[in-house]
Amino acid sequence: MLDLHFPLHTSGALSGLICGVLFGFILENAGFGSPLKLTSQFRLTDWSVFKVMFTAIVVAAFGLWILRLVGVIPPDSVAVPQALVMASAVGGVLVGAGFAIGGYCPGTSVAGLASGRLDALVFIVGLLVGTFAFVGLYGPTIRTMMAMGSIVDGDTFTDAYGVAEPIVLAVLAAALVAVFYFGSWFERRGPGPVSAEQAVAGAE
Amino acid sequence: MAGQCVTTAKFPKGKKTMNTLSTDGRRTVKPFWPPMAAGIALGLALLFTFLITGHGLGASGAATDVVAGTGLAVAPAATQANLYLASKVADGNPIGSWMTWEVLGLFIGALVASFMAGRFRVQLDAARSVGSSGRIVRALAGGLLAGFGARVAGGCTSGLGLSGAAALGIAAFVFLALFFATGLIVNRIVRGV
């Protein structure tokens, strides 16, 4: 019998390539190589970004919970981001602004380039310049800002505030239903989701 | 989802469609997956990634690795002395890390998808709406902000927002809330696309 201990903690090229190919194949098929479709989320005319993201979050979160319940993965065995509240907030503001102005986020810009979009390549150059600028400016000031408002008791609502995990999952599931309900309502009121033909033709 | 869709592309609902069969006259553009199907697929891919690596999917980390790796090659002393990069280059060049391979895979997967669906088209998207130079300036500025912001947050929409939320991290929900609120506001001030 094969005795595998999940998570496997692979970190090699093959593992990265397989996960990446799945990721990219799905992103492009969802329409997320198109800056028109992506930014339509902010215009509230196409809710695909939120629908896809929330569905994926709920599927993966429930999956991790079930895998833990049945003992496939031990508790606290997957990476949880540190609860650096100020860093996440400031970063969210900057990435959100960059998304609205540039039309992509880091992952979707790679999908954009892979569907032939040269503006995505320019965005990627910007990403590298922005990363370089951060690295150059990084020091005590940025570090102090990033540590502000950190939650020390834990990184999840369960660890930090004692909210039972099934309740957190139920709230997420309710949010998913709300995103589909209100999103579709907005989509019916407006021009509707960006089609593949429109995305390929480009924003005008 | 797969299969031989040889019929001409369907124009859903018949409204505000346009003819994009122009370049070779016979290209068929397949529709995008429905959001729920794409979301379930993405959730399962993310779950698979957690199972085989112990962490989620990401993107912006590859930019850090490329900057660190390039720095190590061009200015090794300065890179090793840099407060942020020192730990990244301690074990050698980070180009070749899991994250750089994953982003290469992302590119390949998206390339295959766009070719299979007839959606590959070389273009400067949104040049028609904001002009070529306008689009280049916006894409560059947007990338710069997102690249800087992802380093502040310690991840981007995929690494922190998506993967972090699946792991129920508080930081992910803080990030997503401000990401969306800012996008809504900035979209009304600046015409990006």
Side-chain angles (χ1 to χ4, degrees):
Chain A
M1 274 269 284
L2 206 57
D3 188 26
L4 293 175
H5 295 279
F6 291 102
L8 296 177
H9 295 294
T10 58
S11 58
L14 188 62
S15 162
L17 274 174
I18 292 171
C19 295
V21 165
L22 290 172
F23 191 22
F25 190 78
I26 296 163
L27 280 184
E28 202 286 329
N29 271 304
F32 295 175
S34 160
L36 173 63
K37 190 164 183 77
L38 290 166
T39 55
S40 291
Q41 177 66 66
F42 293 145
R43 286 186 286 274
L44 305 178
T45 54
D46 183 339
W47 283 62
S48 300
V49 171
F50 264 32
K51 288 178 176 177
V52 171
M53 270 195 87
F54 266 81
T55 306
I57 289 167
V58 167
V59 166
F62 270 84
L64 287 172
W65 181 62
I66 292 165
L67 289 174
R68 227 177 302 123
L69 274 186
V70 299
V72 173
I73 53 171
D76 301 318
S77 59
V78 299
V80 182
Q82 249 190 300
L84 305 173
V85 173
M86 182 59 83
S88 305
V90 173
V93 165
L94 293 172
V95 177
F99 196 135
I101 295 167
Y104 301 99
C105 60
T108 51
S109 67
V110 179
L113 177 62
S115 47
R117 291 182 171 84
L118 301 175
D119 52 312
L121 182 62
V122 177
F123 187 94
I124 292 169
V125 171
L127 274 181
L128 292 169
V129 176
T131 306
F132 184 77
F134 175 86
V135 163
L137 294 171
Y138 186 76
T141 313
I142 291 185
R143 197 149 50 176
T144 306
M145 181 278 290
M146 283 169 68
M148 279 163 69
S150 299
I151 301 167
V152 289
D153 292 341
D155 298 323
T156 64
F157 294 100
T158 309
D159 290 346
Y161 306 115
V163 185
E165 198 174 326
I167 295 177
V168 180
L169 290 170
V171 170
L172 272 184
L176 174 65
V177 173
V179 163
F180 269 82
Y181 182 82
F182 289 107
S184 300
W185 182 79
F186 272 105
E187 286 172 351
R188 281 192 303 273
R189 279 176 74 234
V194 173
S195 71
E197 291 81 16
Q198 292 166 326
V200 171
E204 58 179 8
Chain B
M1 50 197 167
Q4 298 286 357
C5 180
V6 195
T7 52
T8 48
K10 286 191 276 294
F11 294 97
K13 293 172 194 159
K15 56 180 176 180
K16 56 161 218 180
T17 52
M18 59 189 70
N19 186 8
T20 52
L21 310 177
S22 49
T23 49
D24 57 8
R26 58 189 166 82
R27 173 167 58 187
T28 57
V29 178
K30 286 189 196 171
F32 295 130
W33 290 353
M36 190 177 289
I40 292 171
L42 183 57
L44 293 175
L46 179 57
L47 193 58
F48 172 78
T49 305
F50 272 117
L51 268 177
I52 71 162
T53 68
H55 56 76
L57 295 160
S60 66
T64 314
D65 290 344
V66 168
V67 166
T70 310
L72 193 64
V74 176
T79 307
Q80 280 156 347
N82 182 277
L83 276 177
Y84 196 78
L85 297 180
S87 64
K88 319 257 179 220
V89 297
D91 302 326
N93 197 312
I95 295 177
S97 67
W98 185 89
M99 191 59 85
T100 53
W101 283 108
E102 186 239 23
V103 169
L104 179 64
L106 199 175
F107 178 80
I108 295 167
L111 190 69
V112 169
S114 70
F115 267 103
M116 277 173 60
R119 293 190 293 255
F120 183 89
R121 178 172 169 237
V122 176
Q123 61 170 321
L124 191 69
D125 203 339
R128 282 190 295 153
S129 63
V130 291
S132 293
S133 52
R135 180 60 187 137
I136 289 169
V137 169
R138 282 166 176 79
L140 195 64
L144 208 149
L145 284 168
F148 194 97
R151 288 306 20 101
V152 174
C156 57
T157 329
S158 40
L160 179 58
L162 175 70
S163 306
L168 306 180
I170 297 169
F173 295 102
V174 173
F175 176 89
L176 285 175
L178 279 125
F179 167 81
F180 184 56
T182 309
L184 270 178
I185 296 165
V186 174
N187 184 259
R188 270 145 191 77
I189 302 167
V190 185
R191 177 159 190 192
V193 167

PDB file of all heavy atoms in Angstrom, chain B residues 16-31:
ATOM      1  N   LYS B  16     -25.930  43.183 -28.477  1.00  0.00           N
ATOM      2  CA  LYS B  16     -24.600  43.799 -28.576  1.00  0.00           C
ATOM      3  C   LYS B  16     -23.500  42.795 -28.886  1.00  0.00           C
ATOM      4  O   LYS B  16     -22.501  42.676 -28.211  1.00  0.00           O
ATOM      5  CB  LYS B  16     -24.248  44.658 -27.353  1.00  0.00           C
ATOM      6  CG  LYS B  16     -24.312  43.975 -26.001  1.00  0.00           C
ATOM      7  CD  LYS B  16     -23.523  44.755 -24.995  1.00  0.00           C
ATOM      8  CE  LYS B  16     -22.802  43.810 -24.074  1.00  0.00           C
ATOM      9  NZ  LYS B  16     -22.022  44.361 -23.070  1.00  0.00           N
ATOM     10  N   THR B  17     -23.737  42.047 -29.921  1.00  0.00           N
ATOM     11  CA  THR B  17     -22.696  41.149 -30.393  1.00  0.00           C
ATOM     12  C   THR B  17     -22.011  41.815 -31.566  1.00  0.00           C
ATOM     13  O   THR B  17     -22.524  42.747 -32.170  1.00  0.00           O
ATOM     14  CB  THR B  17     -23.299  39.823 -30.858  1.00  0.00           C
ATOM     15  OG1 THR B  17     -24.335  40.108 -31.777  1.00  0.00           O
ATOM     16  CG2 THR B  17     -23.864  39.039 -29.695  1.00  0.00           C
ATOM     17  N   MET B  18     -20.840  41.331 -31.848  1.00  0.00           N
ATOM     18  CA  MET B  18     -20.170  41.891 -33.012  1.00  0.00           C
ATOM     19  C   MET B  18     -19.467  40.766 -33.738  1.00  0.00           C
ATOM     20  O   MET B  18     -19.210  39.711 -33.180  1.00  0.00           O
ATOM     21  CB  MET B  18     -19.174  42.946 -32.580  1.00  0.00           C
ATOM     22  CG  MET B  18     -18.109  42.427 -31.637  1.00  0.00           C
ATOM     23  SD  MET B  18     -17.147  43.749 -30.963  1.00  0.00           S
ATOM     24  CE  MET B  18     -18.328  44.528 -29.890  1.00  0.00           C
ATOM     25  N   ASN B  19     -19.201  40.994 -34.967  1.00  0.00           N
ATOM     26  CA  ASN B  19     -18.578  39.949 -35.763  1.00  0.00           C
ATOM     27  C   ASN B  19     -17.073  39.943 -35.542  1.00  0.00           C
ATOM     28  O   ASN B  19     -16.383  40.903 -35.863  1.00  0.00           O
ATOM     29  CB  ASN B  19     -18.895  40.191 -37.241  1.00  0.00           C
ATOM     30  CG  ASN B  19     -18.385  39.048 -38.079  1.00  0.00           C
ATOM     31  OD1 ASN B  19     -17.942  38.044 -37.541  1.00  0.00           O
ATOM     32  ND2 ASN B  19     -18.459  39.214 -39.377  1.00  0.00           N
ATOM     33  N   THR B  20     -16.570  38.858 -34.969  1.00  0.00           N
ATOM     34  CA  THR B  20     -15.129  38.778 -34.768  1.00  0.00           C
ATOM     35  C   THR B  20     -14.559  37.648 -35.608  1.00  0.00           C
ATOM     36  O   THR B  20     -13.483  37.158 -35.352  1.00  0.00           O
ATOM     37  CB  THR B  20     -14.791  38.532 -33.298  1.00  0.00           C
ATOM     38  OG1 THR B  20     -15.542  37.410 -32.859  1.00  0.00           O
ATOM     39  CG2 THR B  20     -15.109  39.729 -32.452  1.00  0.00           C
ATOM     40  N   LEU B  21     -15.299  37.223 -36.590  1.00  0.00           N
ATOM     41  CA  LEU B  21     -14.803  36.159 -37.457  1.00  0.00           C
ATOM     42  C   LEU B  21     -13.986  36.775 -38.587  1.00  0.00           C
ATOM     43  O   LEU B  21     -13.796  36.186 -39.630  1.00  0.00           O
ATOM     44  CB  LEU B  21     -15.979  35.365 -38.042  1.00  0.00           C
ATOM     45  CG  LEU B  21     -17.019  34.902 -37.023  1.00  0.00           C
ATOM     46  CD1 LEU B  21     -18.154  34.192 -37.717  1.00  0.00           C
ATOM     47  CD2 LEU B  21     -16.386  34.003 -35.996  1.00  0.00           C
ATOM     48  N   SER B  22     -13.486  37.992 -38.357  1.00  0.00           N
ATOM     49  CA  SER B  22     -12.943  38.774 -39.449  1.00  0.00           C
ATOM     50  C   SER B  22     -11.574  38.311 -39.931  1.00  0.00           C
ATOM     51  O   SER B  22     -11.363  38.156 -41.120  1.00  0.00           O
ATOM     52  CB  SER B  22     -12.853  40.230 -39.016  1.00  0.00           C
ATOM     53  OG  SER B  22     -12.223  40.292 -37.758  1.00  0.00           O
ATOM     54  N   THR B  23     -10.657  38.022 -38.992  1.00  0.00           N
ATOM     55  CA  THR B  23      -9.258  37.865 -39.400  1.00  0.00           C
ATOM     56  C   THR B  23      -9.057  36.792 -40.460  1.00  0.00           C
ATOM     57  O   THR B  23      -8.386  37.014 -41.454  1.00  0.00           O
ATOM     58  CB  THR B  23      -8.351  37.557 -38.193  1.00  0.00           C
ATOM     59  OG1 THR B  23      -8.957  36.515 -37.454  1.00  0.00           O
ATOM     60  CG2 THR B  23      -8.170  38.781 -37.325  1.00  0.00           C
ATOM     61  N   ASP B  24      -9.631  35.616 -40.242  1.00  0.00           N
ATOM     62  CA  ASP B  24      -9.452  34.581 -41.262  1.00  0.00           C
ATOM     63  C   ASP B  24     -10.804  34.147 -41.830  1.00  0.00           C
ATOM     64  O   ASP B  24     -10.861  33.268 -42.674  1.00  0.00           O
ATOM     65  CB  ASP B  24      -8.686  33.387 -40.692  1.00  0.00           C
ATOM     66  CG  ASP B  24      -9.381  32.820 -39.470  1.00  0.00           C
ATOM     67  OD1 ASP B  24     -10.513  33.238 -39.169  1.00  0.00           O
ATOM     68  OD2 ASP B  24      -8.789  31.967 -38.815  1.00  0.00           O
ATOM     69  N   GLY B  25     -11.848  34.769 -41.334  1.00  0.00           N
ATOM     70  CA  GLY B  25     -13.160  34.508 -41.896  1.00  0.00           C
ATOM     71  C   GLY B  25     -13.789  33.205 -41.449  1.00  0.00           C
ATOM     72  O   GLY B  25     -14.941  32.948 -41.743  1.00  0.00           O
ATOM     73  N   ARG B  26     -13.041  32.359 -40.727  1.00  0.00           N
ATOM     74  CA  ARG B  26     -13.658  31.095 -40.333  1.00  0.00           C
ATOM     75  C   ARG B  26     -13.382  30.774 -38.870  1.00  0.00           C
ATOM     76  O   ARG B  26     -13.636  29.680 -38.411  1.00  0.00           O
ATOM     77  CB  ARG B  26     -13.161  29.962 -41.225  1.00  0.00           C
ATOM     78  CG  ARG B  26     -11.669  29.802 -41.191  1.00  0.00           C
ATOM     79  CD  ARG B  26     -11.171  28.827 -42.256  1.00  0.00           C
ATOM     80  NE  ARG B  26      -9.734  28.932 -42.411  1.00  0.00           N
ATOM     81  CZ  ARG B  26      -8.870  28.336 -41.609  1.00  0.00           C
ATOM     82  NH1 ARG B  26      -9.269  27.612 -40.621  1.00  0.00           N
ATOM     83  NH2 ARG B  26      -7.570  28.484 -41.817  1.00  0.00           N
ATOM     84  N   ARG B  27     -12.833  31.719 -38.164  1.00  0.00           N
ATOM     85  CA  ARG B  27     -12.566  31.443 -36.763  1.00  0.00           C
ATOM     86  C   ARG B  27     -13.867  31.372 -35.982  1.00  0.00           C
ATOM     87  O   ARG B  27     -14.768  32.186 -36.158  1.00  0.00           O
ATOM     88  CB  ARG B  27     -11.703  32.539 -36.151  1.00  0.00           C
ATOM     89  CG  ARG B  27     -11.575  32.324 -34.650  1.00  0.00           C
ATOM     90  CD  ARG B  27     -10.520  33.162 -34.022  1.00  0.00           C
ATOM     91  NE  ARG B  27     -10.719  34.585 -34.216  1.00  0.00           N
ATOM     92  CZ  ARG B  27      -9.827  35.476 -33.855  1.00  0.00           C
ATOM     93  NH1 ARG B  27      -8.690  35.100 -33.344  1.00  0.00           N
ATOM     94  NH2 ARG B  27     -10.049  36.755 -34.036  1.00  0.00           N
ATOM     95  N   THR B  28     -13.933  30.396 -35.109  1.00  0.00           N
ATOM     96  CA  THR B  28     -15.076  30.345 -34.224  1.00  0.00           C
ATOM     97  C   THR B  28     -14.594  30.594 -32.812  1.00  0.00           C
ATOM     98  O   THR B  28     -13.650  29.976 -32.349  1.00  0.00           O
ATOM     99  CB  THR B  28     -15.764  28.969 -34.280  1.00  0.00           C
ATOM    100  OG1 THR B  28     -14.812  27.980 -33.962  1.00  0.00           O
ATOM    101  CG2 THR B  28     -16.334  28.707 -35.658  1.00  0.00           C
ATOM    102  N   VAL B  29     -15.227  31.544 -32.172  1.00  0.00           N
ATOM    103  CA  VAL B  29     -14.874  31.889 -30.802  1.00  0.00           C
ATOM    104  C   VAL B  29     -15.805  31.146 -29.861  1.00  0.00           C
ATOM    105  O   VAL B  29     -17.010  31.355 -29.891  1.00  0.00           O
ATOM    106  CB  VAL B  29     -14.995  33.414 -30.579  1.00  0.00           C
ATOM    107  CG1 VAL B  29     -14.683  33.770 -29.141  1.00  0.00           C
ATOM    108  CG2 VAL B  29     -14.072  34.156 -31.527  1.00  0.00           C
ATOM    109  N   LYS B  30     -15.248  30.257 -29.077  1.00  0.00           N
ATOM    110  CA  LYS B  30     -16.089  29.505 -28.133  1.00  0.00           C
ATOM    111  C   LYS B  30     -16.424  30.374 -26.930  1.00  0.00           C
ATOM    112  O   LYS B  30     -15.603  31.182 -26.499  1.00  0.00           O
ATOM    113  CB  LYS B  30     -15.356  28.249 -27.657  1.00  0.00           C
ATOM    114  CG  LYS B  30     -15.299  27.158 -28.711  1.00  0.00           C
ATOM    115  CD  LYS B  30     -14.774  25.873 -28.110  1.00  0.00           C
ATOM    116  CE  LYS B  30     -14.350  24.897 -29.192  1.00  0.00           C
ATOM    117  NZ  LYS B  30     -13.653  23.733 -28.634  1.00  0.00           N
ATOM    118  N   PRO B  31     -17.618  30.196 -26.391  1.00  0.00           N
ATOM    119  CA  PRO B  31     -17.990  31.005 -25.224  1.00  0.00           C
ATOM    120  C   PRO B  31     -17.162  30.648 -23.995  1.00  0.00           C
ATOM    121  O   PRO B  31     -16.577  29.564 -23.921  1.00  0.00           O
ATOM    122  CB  PRO B  31     -19.464  30.668 -25.012  1.00  0.00           C
ATOM    123  CG  PRO B  31     -19.699  29.389 -25.719  1.00  0.00           C
ATOM    124  CD  PRO B  31     -18.691  29.287 -26.820  1.00  0.00           C
TER     125      PRO B  31
END
